[in-house]
Amino acid sequence: MKTVISTAFARVGELACQQDSFLREITARVVSCEAAAVNRNNSGASGKKSKSSGTQVELPQSYDVILTDSVLFPDGGGQPCDHGVLIRRETNEELPVRVVQRRGDLCVMNLPCMLKVGEDVQLRVDWDRRLDHMQHHSAQHLLTAVVEDPGFCGLPTVSWALTQPYCHIVLPTGKRIEPEMVQRIEEHCNRVIARAVPVRCRVYSSKEEYENDLQREPEKNDDGGRLRGSRPIPPDVAGPIRIIDMEGIDCCTCCGTHVTNLAQLQVLKLLHQETKGDTLKLFFIAGERVRRFFGDMYGRERELMKEMGGIRPEDFVSAAIRKGKDFVELEKRLKHMTQELMKLRSEKLIAEAKQLSENGKGDSASHRPPVVVYRRDDVDADFFSGLRDELRQACPNCVGVFAWAMAPLTAAKTGQFMIVGPTESVEVLAPVVCAALEGKGGMSKFGYRGKGSLCAWEDLVKELTSKG
């Protein structure tokens, strides 16, 4: 049963993290702690099924905790929740916090153990994650406002996603934005960032107060700027209602954490586009992520320069195209040469099989016709399929046992094998080959094919060719 003390607590919309997004830790008191609900199956057992075994895996018990205030933002407005640690003041025990949710106007965090109601705790945010979320959420507001401007695309944002490694906004069009327009949007966004436009938060105590104010001034914000059409407020939210105002650029409802001026975004970079049906995803990154992205990219370029013989990064594309064409041409030549090799080898195998037949060699005890064997590790299964077809056509009563390594041009111990010939003979020989190669496989209309160890291949060859 939930136990609650009469301590007041901050509602979502007026949390410490929402009042000051740069706040990194606070001291708070436990207001409520109760066992978290666990999903149960039809039999009443709690937990989830293991993907590997299909058996029921018992989930550890966790607890939903409400504090007097929170420096960790609960998920909402398209922004994932913050991560952090909760430190118990009495024992200095650190508990990881990975799930923070909004339930109505409550901020509820999930913890692995029970806390005492009235207990004082210290809450610390994962700052790198918080900063990344702040920068990209504010960048999304800026990008959405510019893209929606009739002077640019005039397209509203349907939804957005704050994800790794890239974020994106979703636009209601199945057509890609022209490169020139993408460049204009990016340049304009970065000019606004360079102006250090203030980002202010205005809070209404209730949804009713917000809606009344919106009816009085439906088109203007306090600075005379455009009030962008906000997403519907969830029905379980009665207040507070927060308005994020980028002076003269954008103004809309939002519960997320934001920078205090756009210069803190540092830079916004537009990336690729993806279309699906009548929607378009426009990908972007901002802030610290751009710096890390560039550093990683530069490091990869330096490594590629070494691998590509000193070719400069600006020549990578042309060099890759050239090498791609060379590779296609080499593949054609290799295929032609492999086909010629297969023809030559099939002629030798056919001649060998016919010679064995003329000499009457075979295994009379098992009624097995003469057997020809061949192994080659620098070719693939298609090569041996060609050998099979040639042998069956020229010498239908002969049996062929072929093998090739699964890792060509290496000292591979495992490989594949193929037994071709009359069905009765193949069925007699298959157990012998499988036993020698410690393998297994199956019959088809083309013969027997399996996988096994090639360590004993030479011994198998001696066994098959010595009988007669």
Side-chain angles (χ1 to χ4, degrees), residues 135 138-140 142-143 146 185-199 246 249 259 261-269 284-287 290:
Q135 290 180 324
S138 296
Q140 178 266 318
L142 171 60
L143 177 59
V146 173
I185 294 170
E186 182 180 294
E187 289 176 349
H188 183 75
C189 287
N190 283 290
R191 281 196 295 268
V192 173
I193 290 171
R195 291 191 347 237
V197 172
V199 179
M246 295 179 177
I249 303 296
V259 297
N261 75 75
L262 292 183
Q264 293 161 354
L265 297 186
Q266 302 171 11
V267 64
L268 184 148
K269 179 61 184 174
F284 70 95
I285 53 175
V290 177

Side-chain angles (χ1 to χ4, degrees), residues 205-219:
S205 61
S206 67
K207 184 189 294 186
E208 182 180 4
E209 181 186 355
Y210 160 71
E211 291 174 344
N212 290 338
D213 190 55
L214 189 62
Q215 289 176 0
R216 288 193 298 269
E217 294 288 342
E219 297 179 352

Side-chain angles (χ1 to χ4, degrees), residues 28-92:
R29 180 167 295 174
V30 179
V31 174
S32 168
C33 180
E34 63 176 338
V38 178
N39 291 330
R40 296 183 178 274
N41 58 24
N42 294 332
S43 64
S46 63
K48 61 180 181 180
K49 283 189 176 181
S50 168
K51 290 183 178 180
S52 58
S53 64
T55 58
Q56 198 76 15
V57 178
E58 189 70 20
L59 294 175
Q61 180 63 61
S62 61
Y63 297 85
D64 290 337
V65 175
I66 299 174
L67 305 179
T68 51
D69 206 344
S70 176
V71 75
L72 303 184
F73 175 75
D75 51 5
Q79 179 176 326
C81 70
D82 284 332
H83 290 173
V85 293
L86 182 145
I87 305 170
R88 307 184 74 168
R89 299 288 293 275
E90 295 179 358
T91 62
N92 284 328

Side-chain angles (χ1 to χ4, degrees), residues 275-313:
T275 57
K276 184 177 182 180
D278 56 357
T279 60
L280 169 69
K281 289 182 179 179
L282 177 59
F283 290 81
F284 70 95
I285 53 175
E288 288 294 305
R289 208 184 288 191
V290 177
R291 182 181 60 80
R292 291 194 300 269
F293 185 81
F294 179 82
D296 293 342
M297 181 177 62
Y298 183 75
R300 285 193 298 269
E301 284 187 348
R302 298 292 296 177
E303 291 299 318
L304 279 172
M305 284 177 63
K306 298 176 185 177
E307 297 297 325
M308 298 180 72
I311 295 175
R312 304 291 298 177

Side-chain angles (χ1 to χ4, degrees), residues 111-130:
L111 295 175
C113 67
M114 181 181 291
L115 302 183
K116 294 185 297 183
V117 173
E119 176 181 354
D120 288 333
V121 297
Q122 187 175 1
L123 203 57
R124 183 181 303 145
V125 70
D126 178 340
W127 175 247
D128 289 341
R129 179 180 171 92
R130 158 68 65 77

